[in-house]
Amino acid sequence: MANYQATNACTWRDGRYIPGTTQDIRQGVFEDLGQCVGVMIFNLTSIRNQYQDYYPTSASLALTRTGAGAWGSERTMTLYAGNQTGIPSLSSSTNINAPRPTKVSSAYNYDISAGQGDKIINISTALIDSIGSGASNCLFIDAGSSTTHYMSFMGRNDLTKIVLTVNWESRTTAASAPTSCSLSSTLAEGNVTLSWSGAKSGANNDISAYEIQYSDSTNNSTWGSWTALTVINSTATSGSLSVSPPNIRGDFRRFRIRTRGMAGSAYYSGWKVSSNTVRKNTLPAAPTTAIASPEIYSNETITLTWSGAAGGTSAIRGYRISSRTSMDNNTWGEWNELITLNLNANSGSYNPVVTNVSGTYTQFSIRTIDVLGAISSEKISNSILCNITACGEPTIFALSTTIAEGSLTLSWSGATAGAGNAIIGYEIEYSDSNDDSNWGMWSPLKTVITSGTSGSTSASPTPIRGHYRRFRIRTIGTAGSSYYSDWKVSVSSVRKNILPTPPSILIASPTLYETPTVTIAWSGTLPGTSPIKHYVIQRSTSFMGNPPWTSYETLATIVSSETSGTYVAEASNLPGTSTRYRISVTDTLDAVSAYVTSNIVTKNSPPTAPKIECPMSGRSTYNLTPRFMITTGIEPDGQTQIVEVRLNAGQWFNSVDNPELFSTNGYLGDNTKTVFKAPALSYGSHKVSIRCLDSDLMTSSAEIVKTFNVQSSPFQLITANVTTVKATHINTLRTTVNTIREFHCMPPIVWGEEIISLKTTIERWPQHIQELRAALEPIITRINEFDGTSTFDIPPVEWIPFGVGRPKADVMIQLQELIQIL
């Protein structure tokens, strides 16, 4: 069941629609206003969509009667299906001129009960058929000129009061045949494709299959009866099938198809006949003539010619050519296909490749092929005969050398061609021996392509040094291997050169050098099978003989045939650079021996600069024989070192020749500590220069230079029981202590309190003395613990007790004297 509410409604009267006069729909005549026709429009698209697959079993129309006319009495409503034009839109209240609706259906009368309100009228399904089929676009009530049956119903002001209800029942319709059916080709040798499209299901009748039949004809005009071919199960609206042409060449075949549906055979479609037909291809005709020439050949080109071929229903595409052979021109072997030749002509020619076996007969078969691949019967040509002789081997075959390192040259002459067998090249083989007497198997070397009767080519000796190799050659011709010449063996053999043996001794000297010149000496070279030509010397470097080493580079090529020799080379002048050399020997065949590597030589490296831990440059001392604390650097070559010290512009003192001046003396190792005690100096400014020398070549490190002052004593004479120790004495001691601390590379002391004459109390002086002693003790410790000897140590200090009150003279004198020896 489906309900369709009116989409528009209006009353027509006297040539126009009157929404401006009334919103109701009316029928009949009220008073003298003219005939009224009440038009109702529904959703025609929805109804017609339903109508495609369903048919109406019953229908009703719901209207609401209003209080117009004799509303209190039962009246007859006359209902039509028809067509209207010009009805105003719902949004319009303007009266519009338009023709009266036309009637499509008969009049159907229904009694409407008395009274206002909702009325439901069961109406004829013929009205729905008219709308659903598209014959009508509206329903309308029309009592003509009757005043008795004048009635009014609610209309466009409330379309919910106009509802058409239809009860639908599913309908079943036949399937539709394909609209298109054709064959992929109208001429065929084998199967073609039958294609169709445009089929449709029926209502409640989905596509289930296609039924296909065929009919044959000899002339494409008069057809035989239809014969069932197949049924294709498919639910698609299109499809295709591979079908065959008639069995009889030249006949025609057409096809027809119909659509089957799920509803059964009563609802199959009608037949659709293919729009074209297919004809069975007719065979082409073989050539009428086929001639091969020359009839007797040796190495000539064979030409096969033919003519008289013809296509059938299809044009000629080409020819299939085969050959067969015989030794007696009577008993023949099997056909061997040579080529399928594309040629759209009824005649042609071809140059087949034929046997070069002398005494052999050959025939050819030609078949015509059309564009559909159909093949004619065969046409067999005449017989041709091969007559060929062998080539002759070279009369001379020689080698360019009997000892070789690399390639050698093989040369030959005197070869001859055979009948029908032109020279096309030479085949060369080799055989090896370890004694030039007992030979191994022959092995292929190469084939030289040439048409000449003489020639040359390169070859190699055996890869095993000292072994021998010989060669043989034969002539090859166009007739093939059955007609090659005999072998010609070389008169001599070639021996693989034996390498020279490199020197057994290779020495570079000196192993440690200062001047960048090195002598390289070698001996013990042994020649191979060829004389010595020259030596090649190469070198590689590294730092201090440690990896990585550089790649070897060629230093010199020494032309010499001797078994020993020397060479003076310029060596690296970069300290610490180590060099190693290697040498190889080359013979007159440019064969190179293995390399022999020399010992390592090294450019001498000076020691690194010593470290001076005292004095601090620019500082002062009160000691006329000051101490200098020295730590040696590193000697990269592993040699011992000699420490040298020079004061001002004087002589150099060293740890070997002047041992009395050094706490640790002689030849020193790396990072060795020693104290140099200077000879007596004068008061004033001085300079000290310090360096280290290596013990072998006496190369020097960088010089370390320090400046310093030797100051005279700043102390006042203090006499026991005479001199009173004052603030100035303590302050002088404080100044000299800090001067000595800085000389020994120690920071100055920040004193505990300021000492002011006539202000600082005597009771604090013992603390000031103790503070001075504490500032001096680290200097003594540094001097005494600097190295492992006590040679220039400060003797142990036994501090004099200072009691209470003012410091005694001996306490002060002890401090003054200590300061002057530090």
Side-chain angles (χ1 to χ4, degrees):
M1 180 179 72
N3 295 322
Y4 306 96
Q5 177 185 304
T7 59
N8 201 348
C10 199
T11 297
W12 179 90
R13 185 173 66 202
D14 290 341
R16 61 180 178 167
Y17 287 99
I18 55 173
T21 303
T22 179
Q23 292 290 308
D24 289 343
I25 56 173
R26 301 174 177 176
Q27 72 164 14
V29 179
F30 178 70
E31 296 179 348
D32 295 326
L33 297 179
Q35 298 182 18
C36 291
V37 178
V39 179
M40 297 166 284
I41 299 175
F42 299 91
N43 188 335
L44 300 179
T45 300
S46 178
I47 293 173
R48 287 169 184 166
N49 286 342
Q50 291 282 93
Y51 194 79
Q52 293 293 322
D53 299 322
Y54 302 88
Y55 61 90
T57 58
S58 62
S60 63
L61 183 63
L63 298 172
T64 299
R65 189 172 178 181
T66 61
W71 56 268
S73 301
E74 180 180 279
R75 290 289 184 263
T76 299
M77 180 185 74
T78 304
L79 185 62
Y80 295 90
N83 291 302
Q84 63 75 32
T85 56
I87 192 169
S89 65
L90 282 175
S91 61
S92 173
S93 59
T94 301
N95 296 342
I96 295 177
N97 293 331
R100 184 188 186 103
T102 59
K103 301 172 182 177
V104 173
S105 68
S106 301
Y108 292 90
N109 295 320
Y110 303 99
D111 293 332
I112 307 301
S113 61
Q116 302 179 43
D118 296 338
K119 310 294 180 179
I120 296 177
I121 309 100
N122 293 322
I123 66 173
S124 171
T125 58
L127 299 171
I128 308 306
D129 284 336
S130 177
I131 292 174
S133 66
S136 303
N137 65 15
C138 66
L139 296 177
F140 61 89
I141 51 177
D142 185 359
S145 60
S146 171
T147 58
T148 301
H149 295 298
Y150 172 82
M151 274 190 294
S152 179
F153 299 92
M154 290 188 70
R156 63 196 286 126
N157 57 332
D158 188 358
L159 295 175
T160 64
K161 299 299 184 179
I162 306 175
V163 177
L164 175 65
T165 299
V166 181
N167 290 310
W168 298 99
E169 184 73 30
S170 296
R171 73 170 77 230
T172 300
T173 62
S176 299
T179 57
S180 173
C181 177
S182 64
L183 293 156
S184 62
S185 177
T186 57
L187 182 64
E189 181 64 25
N191 281 15
V192 296
T193 301
L194 176 68
S195 301
W196 62 90
S197 62
K200 291 183 180 179
S201 300
N204 296 315
N205 186 22
D206 291 340
I207 295 172
S208 63
Y210 293 93
E211 184 178 350
I212 301 170
Q213 296 180 349
Y214 68 89
S215 175
D216 290 347
S217 171
T218 59
N219 57 10
N220 205 26
S221 175
T222 302
W223 293 93
S225 59
W226 290 103
T227 302
L229 177 61
T230 188
V231 174
I232 304 297
N233 293 321
S234 172
T235 60
T237 60
S238 61
S240 63
L241 176 68
S242 178
V243 296
S244 61
N247 294 328
I248 301 173
R249 293 189 178 275
D251 280 7
F252 301 82
R253 177 167 287 179
R254 63 179 180 174
F255 297 84
R256 69 178 184 177
I257 187 170
R258 66 175 176 178
T259 311
R260 290 186 173 189
M262 301 295 291
S265 59
Y267 295 95
Y268 288 178
S269 75
W271 292 97
K272 174 67 175 180
V273 178
S274 60
S275 59
N276 54 357
T277 63
V278 59
R279 189 180 189 189
K280 178 69 172 184
N281 183 42
T282 59
L283 291 177
T288 56
T289 63
I291 299 172
S293 62
E295 291 189 0
I296 299 176
Y297 70 91
S298 54
N299 61 354
E300 297 90 342
T301 298
I302 303 302
T303 301
L304 176 65
T305 60
W306 63 90
S307 63
T313 49
S314 299
I316 295 174
R317 185 185 72 191
Y319 298 88
R320 179 177 296 172
I321 302 174
S322 302
S323 68
R324 65 181 180 180
T325 59
S326 171
M327 299 307 296
D328 60 4
N329 204 24
N330 184 34
T331 302
W332 295 93
E334 297 294 326
W335 287 108
N336 176 44
E337 184 177 333
L338 299 178
I339 192 173
T340 297
L341 191 66
N342 290 324
L343 179 63
N344 183 16
N346 58 12
S347 62
S349 65
Y350 173 66
N351 301 120
V353 176
V354 293
T355 180
N356 58 4
V357 178
S358 187
T360 303
Y361 294 88
T362 303
Q363 285 184 338
F364 301 94
S365 164
I366 305 178
R367 294 175 182 265
T368 309
I369 305 173
D370 68 14
V371 294
L372 296 182
I375 303 175
S376 74
S377 59
E378 67 181 3
K379 174 65 177 179
I380 299 176
S381 74
N382 57 298
S383 300
I384 59 175
L385 175 63
C386 177
N387 182 27
I388 301 173
T389 62
C391 294
E393 72 272 18
T395 57
I396 297 174
F397 183 38
L399 312 183
S400 61
T401 184
T402 57
I403 297 178
E405 174 63 26
S407 62
L408 66 152
T409 301
L410 311 180
S411 58
W412 62 91
S413 61
T416 57
N421 189 18
I423 295 174
I424 59 172
Y426 297 88
E427 188 176 35
I428 303 172
E429 295 182 343
Y430 69 90
S431 175
D432 292 344
S433 170
N434 62 1
D435 59 3
D436 204 23
S437 177
N438 299 302
W439 294 95
M441 298 286 292
W442 289 104
S443 300
L445 175 64
K446 64 171 67 175
T447 298
V448 178
I449 303 302
T450 177
S451 60
T453 59
S454 61
S456 64
T457 187
S458 62
S460 300
T462 174
I464 303 174
R465 294 191 178 276
H467 284 205
Y468 301 82
R469 176 168 287 181
R470 63 178 180 174
F471 301 87
R472 67 179 185 177
I473 189 170
R474 66 176 175 178
T475 312
I476 60 177
T478 56
S481 59
S482 297
Y483 300 95
Y484 290 178
S485 74
D486 292 333
W487 290 100
K488 175 72 172 180
V489 180
S490 60
V491 175
S492 59
S493 61
V494 60
R495 189 180 189 193
K496 176 68 173 184
N497 183 42
I498 299 175
L499 289 177
T501 302
S504 57
I505 297 174
L506 177 63
I507 298 175
S509 60
T511 57
L512 190 65
Y513 62 88
E514 183 64 30
T515 301
T517 301
V518 173
T519 299
I520 304 167
W522 64 91
S523 61
T525 307
L526 296 176
T529 48
S530 299
I532 296 171
K533 178 182 178 182
H534 62 244
Y535 294 87
V536 174
I537 300 176
Q538 296 182 332
R539 67 182 171 191
S540 174
T541 61
S542 77
F543 182 72
M544 298 302 296
N546 297 316
W549 288 86
T550 63
S551 299
Y552 278 100
E553 61 175 342
T554 298
L555 178 63
T557 299
I558 312 299
V559 178
S560 173
S561 61
E562 301 299 324
T563 59
S564 61
T566 60
Y567 176 73
V568 178
E570 182 178 345
S572 172
N573 202 27
L574 184 64
T577 300
S578 293
T579 306
R580 60 186 181 185
Y581 299 90
R582 69 179 187 180
I583 192 169
S584 67
V585 57
T586 304
D587 66 15
T588 55
L589 294 182
D590 291 327
V592 181
S593 74
Y595 281 95
V596 171
T597 304
S598 73
N599 56 299
I600 296 172
V601 298
T602 304
K603 165 65 177 175
N604 185 55
S605 301
T608 59
K611 180 180 179 183
I612 311 304
E613 300 188 38
C614 176
M616 180 184 291
S617 190
R619 299 302 189 265
S620 300
T621 182
Y622 304 99
N623 187 353
L624 289 172
T625 58
R627 297 171 185 81
F628 303 106
M629 299 179 188
I630 305 166
T631 302
T632 62
I634 303 298
E635 210 308 308
D637 300 321
Q639 305 164 73
T640 56
Q641 301 179 55
I642 300 171
V643 180
E644 285 194 326
V645 180
R646 181 168 67 179
L647 294 165
N648 301 314
Q651 71 177 78
W652 286 96
F653 301 102
N654 68 71
S655 59
V656 174
D657 297 327
N658 309 102
E660 72 281 0
L661 299 179
F662 294 86
S663 63
T664 302
N665 48 53
Y667 295 98
L668 307 182
D670 296 344
N671 295 314
T672 299
K673 296 180 182 294
T674 186
V675 177
F676 174 79
K677 188 170 178 61
L681 300 173
S682 61
Y683 294 116
S685 298
H686 295 278
K687 177 177 72 173
V688 63
S689 302
I690 302 171
R691 66 186 182 186
C692 289
L693 309 178
D694 60 36
S695 58
D696 290 336
L697 301 180
M698 304 301 285
T699 54
S700 174
S701 72
E703 293 183 13
I704 305 300
V705 179
K706 302 282 188 178
T707 61
F708 63 96
N709 292 303
V710 178
Q711 296 184 14
S712 60
S713 172
F715 302 120
Q716 297 177 11
L717 179 64
I718 298 175
T719 304
N721 300 319
V722 175
T723 305
T724 299
V725 177
K726 301 177 181 179
T728 184
H729 295 114
I730 298 298
N731 283 332
T732 299
L733 283 172
R734 283 184 168 182
T735 298
T736 57
V737 166
N738 274 340
T739 297
I740 293 302
R741 284 180 65 87
E742 289 183 329
F743 183 82
H744 287 86
C745 301
M746 299 175 70
I749 295 295
V750 178
W751 305 106
E753 72 173 312
E754 186 179 6
I755 299 174
I756 302 174
S757 180
L758 302 178
K759 289 186 179 181
T760 304
T761 62
I762 294 174
E763 288 80 5
R764 294 286 297 165
W765 285 32
Q767 286 82 357
H768 301 322
I769 297 300
Q770 185 63 43
E771 190 176 32
L772 288 166
R773 291 176 175 178
L776 290 170
E777 284 175 347
I779 302 174
I780 297 169
T781 300
R782 170 170 285 194
I783 294 171
N784 291 350
E785 294 183 356
F786 178 71
D787 62 356
T789 72
S790 59
T791 304
F792 299 129
D793 285 1
I794 304 298
V797 180
E798 295 292 336
W799 296 113
I800 299 171
F802 45 74
V804 296
R806 291 183 184 275
K808 298 177 181 179
D810 56 354
V811 171
M812 298 297 289
I813 292 170
Q814 184 184 36
L815 288 171
Q816 291 175 353
E817 290 177 347
L818 178 59
I819 287 170
Q820 292 179 85
I821 65 171
L822 292 177

